[in-house]
Amino acid sequence: VWGVLLLSYVRFCFAYPQTCTQNFRYAVPTLMAGCVWLGLGLKYTKNRIFPGVVTACTLVFCLGSAVCYTLLGLV
């Protein structure tokens, strides 16, 4: 499902290059599908490494976002 939604979005971007297609609001369904599958993976996995990796990636993303927006605020 996620792949089909993502390919549909990419096709839309190339089919209508003159409009505002390079906006994330058109790819939000891919975010929802990814969240559902990530949640199911975290719920049903017996592996202890997967939740740790997801937590680490989330932490790195949050810290990177905070640094990015802090630096943009200084400009």
Side-chain angles (χ1 to χ4, degrees):
V1 171
W2 181 82
V4 170
L5 288 172
L6 188 62
L7 288 175
S8 173
Y9 169 69
V10 170
R11 183 179 175 276
F12 174 68
C13 289
F14 285 106
Y16 301 102
Q18 288 79 22
T19 58
C20 181
T21 57
Q22 300 298 320
N23 194 324
F24 184 73
R25 69 177 178 225
Y26 298 114
V28 169
T30 62
L31 176 68
M32 298 303 159
C35 288
V36 168
W37 288 110
L38 182 62
L40 288 172
L42 287 171
K43 182 178 180 180
Y44 292 112
T45 186
K46 303 295 184 204
N47 188 349
R48 294 290 181 210
I49 295 173
F50 182 66
V53 170
V54 172
T55 303
C57 289
T58 302
L59 182 63
V60 167
F61 174 78
C62 291
L63 291 174
S65 296
V67 168
C68 178
Y69 287 112
T70 301
L71 291 175
L72 284 175
L74 296 175
V75 175

